[in-house]
């Protein structure tokens, strides 16, 4: 099963809405399971950097099949996988979440612009929650 463009857009819009409610201007990217961007939304006052970082967070989550925050924890300096951080496109900070259904990875969502990875993650998770019923199989 693949993530449809409609589901990707719904997830992105829900994530952005959650961030707006919290007073954050962000960019949201949804990628398919191979890390290719399906949707990229940027709120009016989100920083210019957010349109680069949100897709990288989503790509990181889709590529490694774990949240970007979990990857950050596993790649701290001195850990065996710390070298992964030097790879192009890897964004080992919070805000990237895997989109899964029925035991399969469908894609990922990345949020950039809220104050800190935990706030970005909360918005990303709201995006996933908004499509949970549509992607279950």
């Amino acid at each position: 099963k693949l993530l449809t463009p409609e589901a990707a857009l719904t997830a992105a819009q829900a994530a952005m809405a959650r961030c707006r409610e919290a007073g954050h201007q962000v960019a949201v990217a949804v990628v398919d399971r191979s890390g290719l961007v399906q949707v990229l939304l940027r709120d009016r006052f989100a920083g210019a950097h957010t349109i680069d970082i949100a897709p990288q967070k989503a790509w990181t989550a889709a590529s490694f099949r774990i949240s970007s925050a979990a990857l950050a924890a596993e790649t701290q300096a001195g850990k065996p996988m710390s070298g992964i951080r030097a790879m192009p496109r890897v964004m080992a900070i919070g805000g990237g979440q895997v989109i899964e259904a029925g035991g399969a990875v469908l894609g990922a969502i990345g949020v950039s612009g809220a104050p800190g990875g935990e706030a970005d993650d909360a918005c990303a998770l709201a995006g996933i929650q908004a499509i949970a019923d549509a992607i279950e199989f």
Side-chain angles (χ1 to χ4, degrees), residues 36-71:
L36 296 174
V37 174
Q38 285 190 284
V39 173
L40 176 60
L41 299 177
R42 181 187 155 270
D43 215 340
R44 294 170 296 196
F45 304 113
H49 65 283
T50 62
I51 61 170
D52 292 325
I53 294 174
Q56 290 177 2
K57 288 180 179 185
W59 179 89
T60 298
S63 180
F64 292 96
R65 309 292 199 246
I66 62 173
S67 73
S68 57
L71 185 71

Side-chain angles (χ1 to χ4, degrees), residues 7 10-11 99-102 106 125-137:
T10 298
I99 300 173
E100 296 179 273
L106 304 182
L125 291 170
I128 295 170
Q129 185 60 42
I131 61 169
D133 289 342
I135 63 173
E136 284 303 318
F137 57 93

